[in-house]
Each structure stands twice: as C-alpha cells, then as structure tokens.
Amino acid sequence: ECIAAGEPMECDIGLMNRERTFNYVAAFGAFTEVSYATPQSLKNLLGHQAYVLEGVKALSDLKPYHVKVTSDNGDVEGSFVYGMVSNTQSVGGVKGLAGQGIDLQDGLFEVTLVKEIRNPLEFQQLVAAFVSQNFERSEMFYSFRVSRISFVFDEDISWTLDGEYGGEHREVCFEVLPRAVSFLVERREEKKTELS
C-alpha cells in the first residue's frame, strides 16, 4: 500500500569506520548479543519470548567496559555496561531510551551510555528508569546528540549493527550521512486527517 500510495521520506543513516552502514542502532555491551546469538530454531518456536529468555541469561554478564568517547558535543570517559548510537524512537521495544523529540532527518545521532553498576542502589535506579521509561532524569545514563562520535576502548569490543554482528573493535568512529536513504511511507496528509 505504501509503495502504491505512499510518499518518499529521506532518512539519515550511520557510517561505522567509513565502511559499514546502519539505519537503526549500533550498540555494545549488555544484551547486544541477544539479537544475533539467539538460535534461529528458538526464534521460530518462541518468537519474541526467545529474545527475552536470552536476555535473562545475559543479566549475569553485565560487564563494564572502560571507554573514552569523543564527539562534536563534548567528551566523556568512564566505565559503561551499555552504549548505543541510534536514529530511532524506540530500541528493542523500549521507547524513550534514545531520548525525546527524535527526528530521523536532523543529521544527528542519539547517543546513550549506561554507567557501570557498582552497588544495589545503582541497580535499583537502573531498573526504576526502565520501569518508568524516564531515562533523562536517571543518573545512570548519559544521553546526548551528535553528528560524529568516536569510541576508544582498552580492548576489542563486540558491536551490533541493526541487530546483526558488527565485529570486534578497539576504536570505532561513527558519522551521520544526512538524508542518505529514501523510504516510502504513509502520506503525511492522510495521517493528519486521521488524527483530526
């Protein structure tokens, strides 16, 4: 229906280390292996529940990674259990993790870093942020927007790109390719009409 009656919408995409592209999310750390490590037979049998089961198994492996982050919106250094560079309103079905007011055409990535969990209180704060989906007020998160960002780790770190294995890297650089891909979407006038 969108092909026949839709309209084109240009979207930003990301470029990793000047060689691989992604349009949704690039991430490292906790739970990032779930999407590509879950056996296909389990996905076929259980669907979404297969991801949940693999995610629960990953809870015991919340390993912090020391990283230096350099971007056109400032620098950060610390230990994080999760990090992502995204251009989406929800990640893994969680809305608000990438922030509010996401624009897929603004030439910016949304970056989210989850700090190392050092004690039960910080773990509780992290869980509370996910339950309330209020990530911007939590001290466990760094969130900011950039057009270019680089990560330097102490070791090779596995990345996922749009849910697929993205390789292991000690240094990673991302840049936005503004409005690089055009998607056919539902006509915007029709959306406004439906809402009124």
Side-chain angles (χ1 to χ4, degrees):
E1 188 176 325
C2 281
I3 292 171
E7 66 180 4
M9 177 179 140
E10 295 177 336
C11 289
D12 302 339
I13 64 169
L15 183 62
M16 175 184 183
N17 288 343
R18 297 183 182 248
E19 59 187 37
R20 292 195 58 186
T21 58
F22 66 99
N23 69 319
Y24 168 59
V25 63
F28 73 88
F31 311 113
T32 54
E33 292 181 0
V34 170
S35 61
Y36 60 83
T38 304
Q40 188 61 47
S41 58
L42 197 59
K43 293 178 194 176
N44 294 343
L45 180 66
L46 299 175
H48 177 71
Q49 295 303 317
Y51 294 108
V52 173
L53 288 173
E54 288 294 319
V56 169
K57 285 182 0 188
L59 273 174
S60 61
D61 296 327
L62 288 179
K63 177 184 175 187
Y65 301 95
H66 182 262
V67 61
K68 294 177 184 175
V69 181
T70 305
S71 77
D72 52 10
N73 193 13
D75 302 338
V76 176
E77 182 174 355
S79 293
F80 302 96
V81 296
Y82 177 80
M84 72 175 185
V85 177
S86 65
N87 191 37
T88 182
Q89 296 179 4
S90 70
V91 177
V94 179
K95 293 192 177 197
L97 184 58
Q100 302 298 320
I102 307 297
D103 183 345
L104 305 180
Q105 303 174 301
D106 63 0
L108 297 173
F109 290 129
E110 284 68 38
V111 177
T112 303
L113 301 170
V114 180
K115 294 180 184 178
E116 175 183 8
I117 303 163
R118 294 171 296 193
N119 57 54
L121 180 60
E122 290 182 346
F123 184 76
Q124 183 180 353
Q125 290 173 355
L126 185 63
V127 170
F130 276 96
V131 169
S132 68
Q133 294 195 358
N134 190 348
F135 304 100
E136 292 178 349
R137 291 190 178 178
S138 174
E139 295 178 7
M140 296 301 295
F141 295 84
Y142 280 111
S143 295
F144 49 97
R145 291 187 168 119
V146 299
S147 61
R148 184 174 175 81
I149 188 167
S150 64
F151 297 80
V152 178
F153 297 91
D154 296 339
E155 58 186 302
D156 287 344
I157 302 298
S158 293
W159 283 80
T160 180
L161 295 178
D162 292 336
E164 300 296 327
Y165 182 62
E168 292 189 1
H169 307 276
R170 186 172 298 218
E171 295 185 21
V172 185
C173 180
F174 296 98
E175 56 188 291
V176 175
L177 300 177
R179 298 179 181 239
V181 175
S182 186
F183 293 98
L184 286 173
V185 298
E186 184 179 340
R187 288 196 176 275
R188 292 179 194 133
E189 300 85 47
E190 292 173 11
K191 287 182 181 179
K192 291 176 186 174
T193 306
E194 290 173 7
L195 295 174
S196 53

